[in-house]
Amino acid sequence: MTAAIRHDWSREEVEHLFALPFNDLLFQAQTVHREYHDPNAVQVSTLLSIKTGGCPEDCAYCPQAARYSTGVKAEKLMSVEAVLARAQAAKDAGASRFCMGAAWRSPKDRDVVKVAEIVAAVKGLGLQTCATLGMLSQPQADTLKAAGLDFYNHNLDTAPDYYGEIIHTREFQDRLDTLDHVRQAGLKTCCGGIVGMGESRAQRAGLLTTLANLPEHPESVPINRLVQVAGTPLAGTEALDPFEFVRSIAVARIVMPASVVRLSAGRESMDDALQALCFAAGANSIFYGEKLLTTGNPDVEHDRRLFQRLGLKPMEVEIEPGAVHADIVERADAA
Ligand code: SAM
Ligand code: DTB
Ligand code: SF4
C-alpha cells in the first residue's frame, strides 16, 4: 500500500519514528522513497550568494549576521551579468536549478524589481530558479512569480519551541506568513531547517511535524546540518551524532513522501559513507558546487565520483518556460 500524504502527524508519532531501531527506520524510509521516487536519481542545485553579509537579523547560526564577527564582508547585490555568468557555469557543470540567496531580513520593493530581472535572465538560460531573500509580502511574491521564479526557499529552521533560542528578531509566525504568500503566488516552496543546533530529538521531531502539517508539503525540503562558523553564537555546539542526522533525513522522507529531500548544508564535513547512508535514508537532492553561500561544499569532481561510485544520476527536471524579455536575453548573450 502506497504511503499516504498526510497533514495530521502528531509529534508523538514522529518521535516514535525517530526512536525506531536504525535498520527498521531506514527500511521504512527506503520503502516510501521507492513508492514516490526513482531511488537512484538525485536533484542537483547550485547556490549563489547574490547579496552577501551585513544582515540585521540575529540568527544564531548565521555567518552573515552583521552583529557577529565572522569575517564575512558585506557586499552589494550582484549585477545581472555577474549572476548570469555564474548560472551558466552551474548549468555547464550539470546543475538543473540555480538558487540565489540574499542576506536580507526582507527585501525592499526596489530590490525585488532587481532580483526579478536576475530571475528572468537565469530562467532564460534554461535553469529552474530558486531565490531566498527573507520575508516576502504577497505583492513581492507575485512579482517574483511573474518574473519566472520557480521555487522560493524560506526555512522554518527549527521547532516552534526551540525557535526562541535561535532567532529573536522575527517570529515563527512571520515565517509561516511568508510561506503562505509564496504558496498563494503559485510558487513552489523549498522549506526545511537545520539540525545540530543543540535542539533535543523531540525538537527535531517538532520541526519535521510542523513541516509535514503545513497546508501543503514543501516540494523541496532542505535538511541542513549546522555548519559551525567561528564568531556565531552556535560555534562550539556539541556535534550531532551522525546517525541522528541520518534519522532526521529518514523521518523527513517518511512524513513528506512525495517531497524532494535535500541533503543540504554540512556535506563538506561528512564522509562519503555518511552521505551514502543519507541517500539510502531518502535524501534525493544536493547542493552542487564548491560553495554554499559563504561556506564550503564538496568540490564537483568529488561529487561526480561519488555519484559514479553509488550509481546515482542527476534527476531530470522539467524546466517550465519563463517570462523572458528581449533586453535580458541580449545581456545574457553579452555576459
Ligand atoms: N536571509 C534569508 C533568510 O534567512 O530567510 C535567506 C538566506 S539564509 C542564509 C537561508 C537559510 O540558510 C537559513 O534559513 C538557514 O536555514 C540556512 N543557514 C544559514 N546559515 C547556516 C549554517 N551555518 N548552517 C546551516 N544552515 C544555515
Ligand atoms: C538552505 O536550506 N540551505 C542553504 C540554502 N537553503 C539557502 C544555505 C546554507 C548556508 C550555509 C552557510 C553558508 O554557506 O553561509
Ligand atoms: Fe540574515 Fe538570513 Fe542569516 Fe538570518 S539566516 S542572519 S536572516 S542572512
Side-chain angles (χ1 to χ4, degrees):
M1 197 180 70
T2 307
I5 305 285
R6 293 176 46 193
H7 297 272
D8 61 350
W9 289 93
S10 72
R11 185 145 154 177
E12 292 66 34
E13 270 180 293
V14 178
E15 283 184 46
H16 177 73
L17 288 173
F18 264 98
L20 284 172
F22 191 75
N23 287 338
D24 291 346
L25 176 61
L26 255 66
F27 179 71
Q28 200 174 319
Q30 179 68 201
T31 305
V32 169
H33 193 182
R34 282 165 186 269
E35 286 170 358
Y36 282 88
H37 306 271
D38 174 345
N40 302 308
V42 173
Q43 191 279 327
V44 175
S45 294
T46 292
L47 256 180
L48 176 68
S49 180
I50 60 170
K51 195 268 157 216
T52 304
C55 184
E57 299 291 276
D58 77 344
C59 311
Y61 48 77
C62 188
Q64 302 199 70
R67 67 190 73 203
Y68 312 135
S69 298
T70 61
V72 172
K73 221 174 76 225
E75 288 167 21
K76 288 203 307 234
L77 180 64
M78 287 172 71
S79 67
V80 181
E81 291 78 6
V83 177
L84 268 183
R86 300 291 292 270
Q88 184 64 56
K91 188 181 180 200
D92 294 344
S96 58
R97 191 181 308 162
F98 196 63
C99 307
M100 295 159 274
W104 286 318
R105 167 184 166 81
S106 53
K108 298 190 180 74
D109 286 345
R110 63 170 186 270
D111 297 325
V112 172
V113 171
K114 290 185 200 157
V115 174
E117 196 186 351
I118 293 174
V119 165
V122 171
K123 181 86 177 166
L125 297 178
L127 281 159
Q128 285 188 335
T129 53
C130 178
T132 181
L133 317 171
M135 294 184 283
L136 285 191
S137 67
Q138 188 62 63
Q140 291 178 330
D142 294 340
T143 300
L144 292 168
K145 170 73 184 171
L149 189 68
D150 297 302
F151 289 80
Y152 194 76
N153 166 248
H154 199 64
N155 291 336
L156 294 183
D157 277 351
T158 192
D161 58 318
Y162 196 61
Y163 187 84
E165 302 288 319
I166 303 296
I167 296 149
H168 311 93
T169 47
R170 62 179 138 154
E171 305 294 321
F172 198 79
Q173 185 59 45
D174 294 324
R175 292 186 181 259
L176 298 175
D177 291 348
T178 289
L179 289 169
D180 198 43
H181 299 151
V182 166
R183 264 192 312 274
Q184 295 300 329
L187 290 161
K188 297 191 180 82
T189 52
C190 172
C191 180
I194 310 175
V195 297
M197 297 198 293
E199 74 285 343
S200 64
R201 174 180 272 185
Q203 285 162 336
R204 284 186 282 283
L207 165 66
L208 296 178
T209 308
T210 312
L211 286 168
N213 291 343
L214 287 170
E216 284 170 37
H217 291 172
E219 282 82 358
S220 175
V221 180
I223 304 294
N224 297 278
R225 184 166 85 167
L226 174 68
V227 179
Q228 298 201 14
V229 178
T232 61
L234 291 185
T237 304
E238 195 186 336
L240 188 69
D241 174 2
F243 297 134
E244 187 66 15
F245 182 75
V246 180
R247 283 179 184 276
S248 307
I249 297 265
V251 174
R253 163 54 60 229
I254 293 166
V255 299
M256 292 169 279
S259 301
V260 170
V261 174
R262 182 173 308 124
L263 166 55
S264 191
R267 280 199 310 122
E268 201 184 28
S269 61
M270 293 178 198
D271 64 17
D272 292 346
L274 177 56
Q275 293 185 55
L277 266 183
C278 292
F279 294 128
N284 58 349
S285 170
I286 56 163
F287 282 127
Y288 175 69
E290 275 80 12
K291 214 166 170 200
L292 293 168
L293 292 173
T294 65
T295 65
N297 198 40
D299 63 61
V300 297
E301 264 321 308
H302 191 102
D303 280 342
R304 282 189 190 141
R305 177 94 188 99
L306 182 62
F307 271 39
Q308 213 173 42
R309 288 164 70 208
L310 299 177
L312 297 173
K313 57 182 186 251
M315 191 185 288
E316 310 247 338
V317 300
E318 204 183 313
I319 316 279
E320 289 166 20
V324 182
H325 310 294
D327 62 321
I328 291 167
V329 174
E330 272 168 35
R331 284 193 198 209
D333 289 343

mmCIF file of all heavy atoms in Angstrom, residues 287-322:
data_model
loop_
_atom_site.group_PDB
_atom_site.id
_atom_site.type_symbol
_atom_site.label_atom_id
_atom_site.label_comp_id
_atom_site.label_asym_id
_atom_site.label_seq_id
_atom_site.Cartn_x
_atom_site.Cartn_y
_atom_site.Cartn_z
ATOM 1 N N PHE A 287 23.179 20.223 -2.839
ATOM 2 C CA PHE A 287 23.788 21.435 -3.387
ATOM 3 C C PHE A 287 25.110 21.020 -4.003
ATOM 4 O O PHE A 287 25.893 20.285 -3.387
ATOM 5 C CB PHE A 287 24.034 22.480 -2.294
ATOM 6 C CG PHE A 287 22.793 23.218 -1.897
ATOM 7 C CD1 PHE A 287 22.399 23.287 -0.572
ATOM 8 C CD2 PHE A 287 22.013 23.866 -2.853
ATOM 9 C CE1 PHE A 287 21.251 23.966 -0.213
ATOM 10 C CE2 PHE A 287 20.857 24.547 -2.504
ATOM 11 C CZ PHE A 287 20.488 24.605 -1.182
ATOM 12 N N TYR A 288 25.347 21.505 -5.208
ATOM 13 C CA TYR A 288 26.472 21.061 -6.026
ATOM 14 C C TYR A 288 27.302 22.285 -6.398
ATOM 15 O O TYR A 288 26.751 23.280 -6.889
ATOM 16 C CB TYR A 288 25.856 20.398 -7.255
ATOM 17 C CG TYR A 288 26.763 19.941 -8.349
ATOM 18 C CD1 TYR A 288 27.626 18.861 -8.166
ATOM 19 C CD2 TYR A 288 26.715 20.543 -9.605
ATOM 20 C CE1 TYR A 288 28.416 18.414 -9.209
ATOM 21 C CE2 TYR A 288 27.492 20.090 -10.646
ATOM 22 C CZ TYR A 288 28.341 19.030 -10.442
ATOM 23 O OH TYR A 288 29.119 18.582 -11.466
ATOM 24 N N GLY A 289 28.583 22.229 -6.159
ATOM 25 C CA GLY A 289 29.450 23.392 -6.402
ATOM 26 C C GLY A 289 30.242 23.678 -5.150
ATOM 27 O O GLY A 289 29.780 23.376 -4.045
ATOM 28 N N GLU A 290 31.417 24.272 -5.329
ATOM 29 C CA GLU A 290 32.380 24.379 -4.228
ATOM 30 C C GLU A 290 31.937 25.243 -3.049
ATOM 31 O O GLU A 290 32.548 25.234 -1.998
ATOM 32 C CB GLU A 290 33.727 24.915 -4.742
ATOM 33 C CG GLU A 290 34.647 23.856 -5.307
ATOM 34 C CD GLU A 290 34.294 23.459 -6.741
ATOM 35 O OE1 GLU A 290 33.470 24.187 -7.354
ATOM 36 O OE2 GLU A 290 34.800 22.438 -7.223
ATOM 37 N N LYS A 291 30.887 26.036 -3.254
ATOM 38 C CA LYS A 291 30.487 26.922 -2.176
ATOM 39 C C LYS A 291 28.987 26.836 -1.944
ATOM 40 O O LYS A 291 28.221 26.650 -2.899
ATOM 41 C CB LYS A 291 30.862 28.357 -2.566
ATOM 42 C CG LYS A 291 31.269 29.211 -1.399
ATOM 43 C CD LYS A 291 31.950 30.477 -1.878
ATOM 44 C CE LYS A 291 32.147 31.445 -0.749
ATOM 45 N NZ LYS A 291 32.349 32.811 -1.245
ATOM 46 N N LEU A 292 28.578 26.980 -0.683
ATOM 47 C CA LEU A 292 27.152 27.130 -0.376
ATOM 48 C C LEU A 292 26.864 28.627 -0.550
ATOM 49 O O LEU A 292 26.864 29.120 -1.665
ATOM 50 C CB LEU A 292 26.871 26.607 1.033
ATOM 51 C CG LEU A 292 27.047 25.085 1.186
ATOM 52 C CD1 LEU A 292 27.039 24.668 2.654
ATOM 53 C CD2 LEU A 292 25.950 24.336 0.429
ATOM 54 N N LEU A 293 26.642 29.366 0.534
ATOM 55 C CA LEU A 293 26.522 30.817 0.392
ATOM 56 C C LEU A 293 27.866 31.453 0.735
ATOM 57 O O LEU A 293 28.491 32.104 -0.098
ATOM 58 C CB LEU A 293 25.398 31.345 1.292
ATOM 59 C CG LEU A 293 23.982 30.918 0.868
ATOM 60 C CD1 LEU A 293 22.945 31.338 1.900
ATOM 61 C CD2 LEU A 293 23.609 31.497 -0.503
ATOM 62 N N THR A 294 28.326 31.194 1.951
ATOM 63 C CA THR A 294 29.634 31.760 2.346
ATOM 64 C C THR A 294 30.601 30.663 2.777
ATOM 65 O O THR A 294 31.780 30.929 2.966
ATOM 66 C CB THR A 294 29.476 32.751 3.523
ATOM 67 O OG1 THR A 294 29.013 32.020 4.674
ATOM 68 C CG2 THR A 294 28.487 33.853 3.192
ATOM 69 N N THR A 295 30.104 29.459 2.974
ATOM 70 C CA THR A 295 30.963 28.368 3.474
ATOM 71 C C THR A 295 31.170 27.316 2.384
ATOM 72 O O THR A 295 30.513 27.356 1.339
ATOM 73 C CB THR A 295 30.336 27.710 4.727
ATOM 74 O OG1 THR A 295 29.107 27.066 4.355
ATOM 75 C CG2 THR A 295 30.054 28.724 5.817
ATOM 76 N N GLY A 296 32.050 26.371 2.656
ATOM 77 C CA GLY A 296 32.447 25.404 1.634
ATOM 78 C C GLY A 296 31.474 24.253 1.445
ATOM 79 O O GLY A 296 30.623 23.962 2.287
ATOM 80 N N ASN A 297 31.644 23.575 0.313
ATOM 81 C CA ASN A 297 30.840 22.420 -0.079
ATOM 82 C C ASN A 297 31.821 21.500 -0.814
ATOM 83 O O ASN A 297 32.843 21.981 -1.310
ATOM 84 C CB ASN A 297 29.740 22.936 -1.031
ATOM 85 C CG ASN A 297 28.574 21.988 -1.193
ATOM 86 O OD1 ASN A 297 28.123 21.372 -0.222
ATOM 87 N ND2 ASN A 297 28.072 21.867 -2.404
ATOM 88 N N PRO A 298 31.551 20.204 -0.919
ATOM 89 C CA PRO A 298 32.498 19.332 -1.630
ATOM 90 C C PRO A 298 32.737 19.814 -3.063
ATOM 91 O O PRO A 298 31.847 20.395 -3.677
ATOM 92 C CB PRO A 298 31.772 17.983 -1.650
ATOM 93 C CG PRO A 298 30.848 18.025 -0.493
ATOM 94 C CD PRO A 298 30.412 19.452 -0.361
ATOM 95 N N ASP A 299 33.942 19.548 -3.603
ATOM 96 C CA ASP A 299 34.179 20.007 -4.979
ATOM 97 C C ASP A 299 33.463 19.087 -5.971
ATOM 98 O O ASP A 299 33.123 17.943 -5.665
ATOM 99 C CB ASP A 299 35.673 20.208 -5.273
ATOM 100 C CG ASP A 299 36.455 18.929 -5.184
ATOM 101 O OD1 ASP A 299 36.143 18.025 -5.950
ATOM 102 O OD2 ASP A 299 37.362 18.856 -4.337
ATOM 103 N N VAL A 300 33.209 19.634 -7.152
ATOM 104 C CA VAL A 300 32.335 18.941 -8.108
ATOM 105 C C VAL A 300 32.933 17.607 -8.565
ATOM 106 O O VAL A 300 32.200 16.644 -8.776
ATOM 107 C CB VAL A 300 31.974 19.818 -9.338
ATOM 108 C CG1 VAL A 300 31.187 21.030 -8.927
ATOM 109 C CG2 VAL A 300 33.195 20.231 -10.106
ATOM 110 N N GLU A 301 34.241 17.551 -8.676
ATOM 111 C CA GLU A 301 34.857 16.291 -9.089
ATOM 112 C C GLU A 301 34.571 15.198 -8.066
ATOM 113 O O GLU A 301 34.288 14.057 -8.408
ATOM 114 C CB GLU A 301 36.374 16.478 -9.247
ATOM 115 C CG GLU A 301 36.798 16.751 -10.671
ATOM 116 C CD GLU A 301 36.012 15.932 -11.707
ATOM 117 O OE1 GLU A 301 35.937 14.702 -11.576
ATOM 118 O OE2 GLU A 301 35.452 16.536 -12.645
ATOM 119 N N HIS A 302 34.668 15.573 -6.797
ATOM 120 C CA HIS A 302 34.394 14.610 -5.728
ATOM 121 C C HIS A 302 32.944 14.123 -5.820
ATOM 122 O O HIS A 302 32.668 12.921 -5.708
ATOM 123 C CB HIS A 302 34.670 15.236 -4.356
ATOM 124 C CG HIS A 302 34.660 14.228 -3.261
ATOM 125 N ND1 HIS A 302 35.798 13.733 -2.692
ATOM 126 C CD2 HIS A 302 33.636 13.576 -2.656
ATOM 127 C CE1 HIS A 302 35.473 12.818 -1.791
ATOM 128 N NE2 HIS A 302 34.172 12.714 -1.745
ATOM 129 N N ASP A 303 32.018 15.059 -6.050
ATOM 130 C CA ASP A 303 30.608 14.670 -6.136
ATOM 131 C C ASP A 303 30.337 13.806 -7.365
ATOM 132 O O ASP A 303 29.545 12.860 -7.308
ATOM 133 C CB ASP A 303 29.706 15.911 -6.140
ATOM 134 C CG ASP A 303 29.497 16.455 -4.722
ATOM 135 O OD1 ASP A 303 29.750 15.690 -3.763
ATOM 136 O OD2 ASP A 303 29.099 17.621 -4.581
ATOM 137 N N ARG A 304 30.988 14.132 -8.481
ATOM 138 C CA ARG A 304 30.789 13.308 -9.684
ATOM 139 C C ARG A 304 31.237 11.880 -9.411
ATOM 140 O O ARG A 304 30.572 10.912 -9.770
ATOM 141 C CB ARG A 304 31.607 13.880 -10.855
ATOM 142 C CG ARG A 304 30.927 15.065 -11.462
ATOM 143 C CD ARG A 304 31.599 15.504 -12.748
ATOM 144 N NE ARG A 304 31.044 16.790 -13.144
ATOM 145 C CZ ARG A 304 31.721 17.791 -13.659
ATOM 146 N NH1 ARG A 304 33.008 17.666 -13.891
ATOM 147 N NH2 ARG A 304 31.131 18.922 -13.961
ATOM 148 N N ARG A 305 32.372 11.783 -8.747
ATOM 149 C CA ARG A 305 32.926 10.461 -8.420
ATOM 150 C C ARG A 305 31.998 9.720 -7.448
ATOM 151 O O ARG A 305 31.762 8.529 -7.590
ATOM 152 C CB ARG A 305 34.328 10.683 -7.828
ATOM 153 C CG ARG A 305 35.047 9.479 -7.357
ATOM 154 C CD ARG A 305 35.986 8.894 -8.412
ATOM 155 N NE ARG A 305 36.514 7.603 -7.944
ATOM 156 C CZ ARG A 305 36.047 6.426 -8.309
ATOM 157 N NH1 ARG A 305 35.066 6.310 -9.168
ATOM 158 N NH2 ARG A 305 36.568 5.313 -7.823
ATOM 159 N N LEU A 306 31.467 10.461 -6.487
ATOM 160 C CA LEU A 306 30.550 9.844 -5.511
ATOM 161 C C LEU A 306 29.302 9.305 -6.228
ATOM 162 O O LEU A 306 28.859 8.180 -5.973
ATOM 163 C CB LEU A 306 30.163 10.872 -4.437
ATOM 164 C CG LEU A 306 29.260 10.374 -3.315
ATOM 165 C CD1 LEU A 306 29.932 9.254 -2.508
ATOM 166 C CD2 LEU A 306 28.864 11.521 -2.375
ATOM 167 N N PHE A 307 28.745 10.100 -7.138
ATOM 168 C CA PHE A 307 27.573 9.651 -7.908
ATOM 169 C C PHE A 307 27.928 8.372 -8.670
ATOM 170 O O PHE A 307 27.145 7.419 -8.698
ATOM 171 C CB PHE A 307 27.122 10.745 -8.892
ATOM 172 C CG PHE A 307 26.127 11.717 -8.313
ATOM 173 C CD1 PHE A 307 26.238 12.171 -7.009
ATOM 174 C CD2 PHE A 307 25.057 12.187 -9.070
ATOM 175 C CE1 PHE A 307 25.321 13.078 -6.473
ATOM 176 C CE2 PHE A 307 24.129 13.089 -8.549
ATOM 177 C CZ PHE A 307 24.266 13.536 -7.256
ATOM 178 N N GLN A 308 29.110 8.387 -9.281
ATOM 179 C CA GLN A 308 29.539 7.231 -10.062
ATOM 180 C C GLN A 308 29.662 5.987 -9.174
ATOM 181 O O GLN A 308 29.153 4.921 -9.497
ATOM 182 C CB GLN A 308 30.908 7.557 -10.634
ATOM 183 C CG GLN A 308 31.227 6.981 -11.972
ATOM 184 C CD GLN A 308 32.564 7.566 -12.438
ATOM 185 O OE1 GLN A 308 33.506 7.694 -11.638
ATOM 186 N NE2 GLN A 308 32.629 7.920 -13.693
ATOM 187 N N ARG A 309 30.301 6.157 -8.028
ATOM 188 C CA ARG A 309 30.520 5.012 -7.133
ATOM 189 C C ARG A 309 29.203 4.456 -6.609
ATOM 190 O O ARG A 309 29.090 3.268 -6.314
ATOM 191 C CB ARG A 309 31.416 5.420 -5.953
ATOM 192 C CG ARG A 309 32.861 5.635 -6.352
ATOM 193 C CD ARG A 309 33.601 6.388 -5.283
ATOM 194 N NE ARG A 309 33.830 5.622 -4.075
ATOM 195 C CZ ARG A 309 33.955 6.150 -2.856
ATOM 196 N NH1 ARG A 309 33.849 7.456 -2.682
ATOM 197 N NH2 ARG A 309 34.177 5.388 -1.830
ATOM 198 N N LEU A 310 28.192 5.338 -6.440
ATOM 199 C CA LEU A 310 26.911 4.891 -5.878
ATOM 200 C C LEU A 310 25.877 4.593 -6.966
ATOM 201 O O LEU A 310 24.740 4.219 -6.653
ATOM 202 C CB LEU A 310 26.361 5.953 -4.914
ATOM 203 C CG LEU A 310 27.246 6.276 -3.692
ATOM 204 C CD1 LEU A 310 26.624 7.398 -2.861
ATOM 205 C CD2 LEU A 310 27.462 5.043 -2.824
ATOM 206 N N GLY A 311 26.256 4.780 -8.224
ATOM 207 C CA GLY A 311 25.292 4.543 -9.306
ATOM 208 C C GLY A 311 24.150 5.544 -9.291
ATOM 209 O O GLY A 311 23.030 5.226 -9.690
ATOM 210 N N LEU A 312 24.435 6.752 -8.841
ATOM 211 C CA LEU A 312 23.394 7.790 -8.813
ATOM 212 C C LEU A 312 23.459 8.600 -10.101
ATOM 213 O O LEU A 312 24.525 8.740 -10.701
ATOM 214 C CB LEU A 312 23.615 8.737 -7.616
ATOM 215 C CG LEU A 312 23.506 8.108 -6.229
ATOM 216 C CD1 LEU A 312 23.905 9.120 -5.156
ATOM 217 C CD2 LEU A 312 22.077 7.609 -5.977
ATOM 218 N N LYS A 313 22.322 9.144 -10.503
ATOM 219 C CA LYS A 313 22.298 10.006 -11.689
ATOM 220 C C LYS A 313 21.541 11.287 -11.359
ATOM 221 O O LYS A 313 20.643 11.280 -10.503
ATOM 222 C CB LYS A 313 21.642 9.271 -12.858
ATOM 223 C CG LYS A 313 20.240 8.807 -12.518
ATOM 224 C CD LYS A 313 19.569 8.024 -13.620
ATOM 225 C CE LYS A 313 18.139 7.732 -13.235
ATOM 226 N NZ LYS A 313 17.795 6.376 -12.914
ATOM 227 N N PRO A 314 21.898 12.372 -12.049
ATOM 228 C CA PRO A 314 21.174 13.622 -11.797
ATOM 229 C C PRO A 314 19.708 13.477 -12.196
ATOM 230 O O PRO A 314 19.406 12.885 -13.232
ATOM 231 C CB PRO A 314 21.881 14.639 -12.704
ATOM 232 C CG PRO A 314 23.190 14.019 -13.063
ATOM 233 C CD PRO A 314 22.986 12.534 -13.016
ATOM 234 N N MET A 315 18.823 13.975 -11.361
ATOM 235 C CA MET A 315 17.376 13.883 -11.633
ATOM 236 C C MET A 315 17.020 14.774 -12.825
ATOM 237 O O MET A 315 17.475 15.915 -12.897
ATOM 238 C CB MET A 315 16.610 14.362 -10.386
ATOM 239 C CG MET A 315 15.130 14.081 -10.408
ATOM 240 S SD MET A 315 14.309 14.820 -8.966
ATOM 241 C CE MET A 315 14.846 13.770 -7.627
ATOM 242 N N GLU A 316 16.247 14.233 -13.752
ATOM 243 C CA GLU A 316 15.769 15.052 -14.875
ATOM 244 C C GLU A 316 14.631 15.922 -14.349
ATOM 245 O O GLU A 316 13.742 15.423 -13.676
ATOM 246 C CB GLU A 316 15.207 14.157 -15.968
ATOM 247 C CG GLU A 316 16.135 13.036 -16.357
ATOM 248 C CD GLU A 316 16.657 13.194 -17.770
ATOM 249 O OE1 GLU A 316 16.005 13.906 -18.549
ATOM 250 O OE2 GLU A 316 17.719 12.605 -18.058
ATOM 251 N N VAL A 317 14.682 17.201 -14.652
ATOM 252 C CA VAL A 317 13.605 18.066 -14.173
ATOM 253 C C VAL A 317 12.983 18.793 -15.350
ATOM 254 O O VAL A 317 13.619 18.982 -16.383
ATOM 255 C CB VAL A 317 14.103 19.100 -13.131
ATOM 256 C CG1 VAL A 317 14.700 18.417 -11.922
ATOM 257 C CG2 VAL A 317 15.080 20.073 -13.747
ATOM 258 N N GLU A 318 11.750 19.190 -15.120
ATOM 259 C CA GLU A 318 11.053 19.924 -16.171
ATOM 260 C C GLU A 318 11.354 21.405 -16.000
ATOM 261 O O GLU A 318 11.215 21.949 -14.902
ATOM 262 C CB GLU A 318 9.550 19.688 -15.980
ATOM 263 C CG GLU A 318 8.743 19.875 -17.229
ATOM 264 C CD GLU A 318 7.263 19.696 -16.919
ATOM 265 O OE1 GLU A 318 6.919 18.702 -16.243
ATOM 266 O OE2 GLU A 318 6.486 20.576 -17.319
ATOM 267 N N ILE A 319 11.798 22.044 -17.054
ATOM 268 C CA ILE A 319 12.037 23.491 -16.978
ATOM 269 C C ILE A 319 10.835 24.179 -17.627
ATOM 270 O O ILE A 319 10.644 24.105 -18.838
ATOM 271 C CB ILE A 319 13.342 23.902 -17.717
ATOM 272 C CG1 ILE A 319 14.503 22.948 -17.404
ATOM 273 C CG2 ILE A 319 13.675 25.363 -17.473
ATOM 274 C CD1 ILE A 319 15.230 23.174 -16.129
ATOM 275 N N GLU A 320 10.027 24.795 -16.764
ATOM 276 C CA GLU A 320 8.859 25.478 -17.330
ATOM 277 C C GLU A 320 9.320 26.757 -18.016
ATOM 278 O O GLU A 320 10.239 27.419 -17.537
ATOM 279 C CB GLU A 320 7.867 25.819 -16.211
ATOM 280 C CG GLU A 320 7.185 24.585 -15.662
ATOM 281 C CD GLU A 320 6.466 24.857 -14.353
ATOM 282 O OE1 GLU A 320 6.176 26.031 -14.053
ATOM 283 O OE2 GLU A 320 6.201 23.877 -13.636
ATOM 284 N N PRO A 321 8.670 27.146 -19.109
ATOM 285 C CA PRO A 321 9.094 28.376 -19.782
ATOM 286 C C PRO A 321 8.860 29.588 -18.892
ATOM 287 O O PRO A 321 7.919 29.613 -18.099
ATOM 288 C CB PRO A 321 8.204 28.428 -21.028
ATOM 289 C CG PRO A 321 7.092 27.474 -20.788
ATOM 290 C CD PRO A 321 7.537 26.491 -19.754
ATOM 291 N N GLY A 322 9.740 30.562 -19.002
ATOM 292 C CA GLY A 322 9.604 31.757 -18.167
ATOM 293 C C GLY A 322 9.246 32.960 -19.012
ATOM 294 O O GLY A 322 9.183 32.891 -20.233
#
